[in-house]
Every structure is written in structure tokens, then in C-alpha cells.
Amino acid sequence: MHAGFPCFSQDIQRVMRLGAGDRQVPELVDSIAGPVLAAGMAVLLKLGFGYVMRDCLLDKQQSEKALAFFDENFVFTDPNAADGQRFYQGRFLLRTRKPGDNMNVWLRFCPAPDELFVDSPFGRTINSLKVVETEVVDEAGAARLERDPDKVDLVIRFKDIDSIVGLIGREDVDIVGLLLENVVQLSGNVGHLFKLGAIAKNIELELGLVKAA
């Protein structure tokens, strides 16, 4: 199981930096308020994970590229499904353990399958805004989500706000070390951690930011 962990943290950080490069996002600093940090993470994660599938409506080549990436990473063959396929719909809740931090981000993939595709001048293409959804929730809302297995598959809980800010930009982050140091705790279906890291790695490969193994 640990074999999938080291790539997760570094790849997710790079995905967030892609989001920062796509839009102007205020720099996160120490002692930042929980809701502000959560809002920043929500924007960066949505933009970063949607980076490869952007601009589908404006460019035929980009549309084809986005569809291919979506098919590889989010589509599963399922003979029991109505159309013979289903979509990856992993749901994650990012929180902290420190009471009062109020830093909660709900991350979901393909939450509305009926809205994933739109018509374009090139034919059907991906609705890039609907592949990844992020939402900032308050403490009460996060507590309800955490108790509901129909809303969240995996909870990633950091020690506190400072521990999150301290990880931003670091290249030597090892999720195993973070677990051993009690900086991060996981609860739920840990198998989704592998998928999250795999999607992030494939974004990097698609953009030529890393070489294939």
C-alpha cells in the first residue's frame, strides 16, 4: 500500500501549482485564516485537475486531447451500466484536526455524469468545468460529510493550518513520513489515494512535465 503514497503528495502539489499558473491566485502565507486557505486550495485543485481538459470548446486538437485524457483516467467499462461504462466519481474531504481551523475542502470527480459532455463545433467534447468540483464547507458541514459514506470516500486530515502551509512548495514531501509524523491522517477507502495520485501523475505526463517511467 505504501508504494502508492510517495507520488501522491508531490504530484498533488504540482497539480495545485498548475492551477496557480492558470489564474492569478493570492500567495498563501503563514497564519492564514482557515476559510481563506480552503478557498485557495479549492480553486487550485479545480483548476489544476482540469488543466489538461481546458479550452475544449475553442480548439479541435485540444478537444480531442481532452477527450482522450478523460477516457483514460475517468472512464471504466461496465456491462451493467446503462451505456456500458461508468465514470470515476471519487470524493475526498480535506480537513485539519485542530478545532476551530475551519479549513475544509470537498473535492469530487464527475459528480454529475449527465453534465460531463457538451456539443461543440467539433462534435461532442468534455465540459471541463464539470469534471472536477470543489467546495469549501464549514465545520458543521464537514462533520456531516465525514459521517456520510455516500458523500465522501476518503478523508485527508492534516494536523493544522500551519502544517498545510509548510508543505506548499516543498519537493521532498513523503506521505509515508507525514503519516508517521502524525502530520496527516487518513480515514475511509485508501484505495482512492492511488487513483488521485495516478490522475495527478498523468496530468504531468500529458503536459511533458515529467518523463514516463
Side-chain angles (χ1 to χ4, degrees):
M1 182 174 66
H2 285 176
F5 286 169
C7 69
F8 163 77
S9 54
Q10 292 185 14
D11 292 344
I12 298 304
Q13 286 190 80
R14 294 188 184 108
V15 164
M16 290 177 67
R17 285 199 288 274
L18 282 176
D22 196 43
R23 298 276 184 87
Q24 291 297 318
V25 180
E27 184 178 1
L28 302 176
V29 296
D30 289 333
S31 303
I32 198 167
V36 176
L37 176 59
M41 289 183 66
V43 170
L44 294 177
L45 287 168
K46 182 176 179 65
L47 293 176
F49 276 109
Y51 197 87
V52 173
M53 293 168 283
R54 71 196 188 285
D55 301 332
C56 295
L57 298 176
L58 305 176
D59 185 287
K60 182 179 180 180
Q61 184 177 4
Q62 175 63 17
S63 175
E64 294 173 348
K65 179 179 178 181
L67 278 170
F69 182 86
F70 181 83
D71 287 344
E72 180 180 353
N73 290 278
F74 296 98
V75 179
F76 300 93
T77 300
D78 185 351
N80 296 319
D83 298 324
Q85 64 181 19
R86 59 186 177 86
F87 307 109
Y88 176 64
Q89 295 181 284
R91 301 155 300 184
F92 303 83
L93 182 62
L94 285 69
R95 306 190 68 187
T96 68
R97 301 198 303 272
K98 185 177 179 181
D101 270 356
N102 198 20
M103 203 305 298
N104 309 286
V105 179
W106 190 23
L107 168 67
R108 295 170 292 162
F109 292 98
C110 307
D114 293 340
E115 300 176 15
L116 285 172
F117 302 96
V118 294
D119 292 327
S120 76
F122 323 113
R124 191 184 74 156
T125 191
I126 292 294
N127 184 349
S128 60
L129 296 178
K130 295 297 182 179
V131 176
V132 183
E133 293 286 357
T134 56
E135 181 180 343
V136 176
V137 294
D138 60 20
E139 289 290 290
R144 288 192 296 270
L145 287 171
E146 189 168 354
R147 295 192 297 266
D148 190 344
D150 292 328
K151 296 292 183 64
V152 173
D153 298 300
L154 179 66
V155 180
I156 302 173
R157 191 185 290 272
F158 296 86
K159 181 180 179 182
D160 52 27
I161 290 175
D162 288 341
S163 67
I164 297 174
V165 175
L167 295 176
I168 296 175
R170 284 180 52 186
E171 296 290 344
D172 59 344
V173 178
D174 183 335
I175 197 72
V176 177
L178 297 180
L179 290 168
L180 293 174
E181 295 167 13
N182 204 30
V183 175
V184 172
Q185 292 180 343
L186 304 173
S187 59
N189 187 345
V190 180
H192 284 276
L193 192 69
F194 290 93
K195 183 61 176 177
L196 189 64
I199 294 172
K201 176 65 71 176
N202 286 338
I203 290 174
E204 289 194 286
L205 290 171
E206 186 71 24
L207 298 176
L209 299 180
V210 296
K211 295 181 180 180

